[in-house]
Amino acid sequence: MSTDRIKVLVLIKGLGLGGAEILVAEAAPLWDRSRFEYRVAYMLPWKDQLVAALHDAEVPVDALDWRRPPGLRAAVRLRRLARRWQPDIVHSHLPAAGLLARLSLRDRTHVYTEHNLVTSYRPITRLLNRATYARNRAVIAVSQAVADDITGHSGPLVRVIPNGVSMASALDGGARAELGLGSGDRLVVHVGNIRPHKGHATLVAAARLLVNWHPNVTVVSVGGEKHAGDLKRMRKLAADSGLGDHMRFLGRRSDARSFLAAADVVVNPADVEGLPVSLLEALALARPVVATAVGGVPTVIRHEVTGLLVRPGEPVELASALERALTAPDAAYWGQEGARLVNRDFGLDRMVRQYESLYLELVGA
């Protein structure tokens, strides 16, 4: 293999089971190792669920050991890594990693990918992210909505490279059996970590209405908690709403895709989104989707074509759309159209090739 490959250091806050993190891990086997040499560094050592997948892809991984702001230990480790390995490109994902790269590695060519709308971040994160944006050499947005949201930031022209997913099939892997569902039961699945703006309370309220109308429906939410106690709080909210076993919060699961494959309908109730990987996965699996019309979601969930769109924060509207998706003859067609759309425009290989084309452009290759 060539010894003058372009070195790319991929930097991310953690390697837990989040959308951006999964993108990095699943893209790794598709990276062009004949022209690029890759390495991944992550800031939070306890968020390491995807490290094994990167090792399986023969990608070196470094934990930077971020403990608390201002993260001096992580900054020192990142600078040492950069001096030792000499990356040509540092590609960070999400604000924490972007800030660390911009402040610690000013002498490196920095590519930043923005995955979310600005309003999804805390005010201090927004302020610091924007104040250092001009230090990016290139900025990627995962959807046009995200690009429009950061157009006013100083720095390079924003390029849109949509997230991508593998079209590999998935089986429910016993998901329905685990939930105790019979052949006549219907399953609605949500995949998303419990954090602000993700609409979990709206989903609980919608599930209460939906179960009243259809007692054979079970609603499942898969995703870890951002803050300790969030999962317990959501389970209590569902229990206090009288949902019983009709709504389950399963927490973090490495087999989340198997629940998507088992779903009759996939739902996303978020108030703010960039371009959710879980929705692309659902479409790749030909699942009909009901989602809020926020951020980049309408680019993939096209109303009455690949699913149904509703307004955020409207549980009655969400429940009605879920009922329609569960009963409409057109729902199977929506799933098929969604799979065709993802296969054509949102493949993981396509995303990787666009990233690597940008790297080549930046180094003048």
Side-chain angles (χ1 to χ4, degrees):
M1 206 172 266
S2 172
T3 58
D4 59 356
R5 292 177 293 162
I6 296 166
K7 290 184 175 182
V8 180
L9 176 63
V10 178
L11 179 63
I12 195 162
K13 185 176 181 180
L15 285 171
L17 299 175
E21 297 85 347
I22 290 171
L23 275 179
V24 170
E26 294 196 344
L30 301 176
W31 289 337
D32 183 354
R33 309 300 178 85
S34 67
R35 292 194 290 179
F36 300 92
E37 184 178 352
Y38 282 92
R39 194 176 194 101
V40 174
Y42 67 109
M43 297 162 60
L44 304 180
W46 59 92
K47 289 195 171 186
D48 61 354
Q49 292 92 339
L50 295 170
V51 170
L54 288 165
H55 285 162
D56 289 344
E58 300 182 342
V59 176
V61 181
D62 298 272
L64 299 179
D65 200 18
W66 175 284
R67 292 296 173 182
R68 60 180 64 85
L72 295 180
R73 178 183 298 184
V76 168
R77 289 192 174 196
L78 179 59
R79 284 196 290 267
R80 287 175 180 169
L81 172 60
R83 283 198 300 268
R84 182 177 76 249
W85 196 60
Q86 293 293 315
D88 300 293
I89 301 282
V90 177
H91 186 168
S92 67
H93 295 262
L94 300 168
L99 283 166
L100 184 65
R102 293 178 210 128
L103 296 176
S104 304
L105 303 177
R106 300 188 187 187
D107 59 335
R108 302 290 167 179
T109 298
H110 181 233
V111 177
Y112 175 67
T113 294
E114 183 57 85
H115 291 262
N116 296 311
L117 299 183
V118 172
T119 49
S120 67
Y121 301 126
R122 293 180 302 167
I124 186 62
T125 301
R126 299 180 209 171
L127 177 64
L128 293 174
N129 202 31
R130 182 164 188 160
T132 59
Y133 239 63
R135 296 180 183 173
N136 297 317
R137 178 73 180 281
V139 174
I140 298 167
V142 301
S143 69
Q144 188 59 53
V146 171
D148 293 342
D149 201 41
I150 56 177
T151 297
H153 290 26
S154 60
L157 182 69
V158 180
R159 306 172 189 230
V160 177
I161 300 180
N163 288 337
V165 294
S166 170
M167 290 300 294
S169 61
L171 302 175
D172 74 15
R176 293 182 69 92
E178 177 184 332
L179 297 168
L181 302 183
S183 58
D185 294 320
R186 310 304 300 279
L187 177 61
V188 174
V189 173
H190 166 249
V191 174
N193 291 330
I194 303 171
R195 54 185 303 164
H197 309 296
K198 291 300 182 181
H200 287 81
T202 300
L203 181 60
V204 171
R208 175 66 273 176
L209 294 170
L210 186 63
V211 168
N212 281 340
W213 301 335
H214 296 283
N216 66 335
V217 171
T218 295
V219 180
V220 167
S221 181
V222 181
E225 57 188 1
K226 181 176 177 63
H227 302 292
D230 283 349
L231 185 58
K232 181 178 179 180
R233 176 175 56 83
M234 294 314 305
R235 286 171 173 166
K236 184 177 186 302
L237 179 62
D240 291 347
S241 299
L243 284 163
D245 286 341
H246 287 286
M247 185 159 199
R248 325 275 184 90
F249 284 91
L250 302 184
R252 182 176 290 109
R253 296 284 297 247
S254 60
D255 59 347
R257 191 173 293 179
S258 69
F259 286 89
L260 292 174
D264 294 294
V265 176
V266 172
V267 62
N268 188 323
D271 302 320
V272 178
E273 284 288 14
L275 183 60
V277 174
S278 62
L279 289 192
L280 293 175
E281 290 176 335
L283 294 177
L285 293 166
R287 301 295 88 192
V289 172
V290 174
T292 46
V294 295
V297 172
T299 63
V300 291
I301 308 305
R302 300 174 182 176
H303 192 63
E304 297 182 337
V305 177
T306 61
L308 297 175
L309 292 171
V310 299
R311 293 173 297 170
E314 297 286 344
V316 176
E317 191 173 328
L318 182 61
S320 298
L322 287 170
E323 180 187 35
R324 182 180 172 192
L326 286 167
T327 58
D330 289 344
Y333 164 80
W334 300 336
Q336 293 163 7
E337 283 298 303
R340 280 191 281 269
L341 173 67
V342 169
N343 186 50
R344 186 182 71 239
D345 297 335
F346 297 93
L348 188 60
D349 183 73
R350 177 181 177 141
M351 182 197 80
V352 170
R353 298 289 83 80
Q354 288 181 298
Y355 276 5
E356 292 183 336
S357 178
L358 174 58
Y359 302 156
L360 291 170
E361 176 187 327
L362 291 175
V363 299

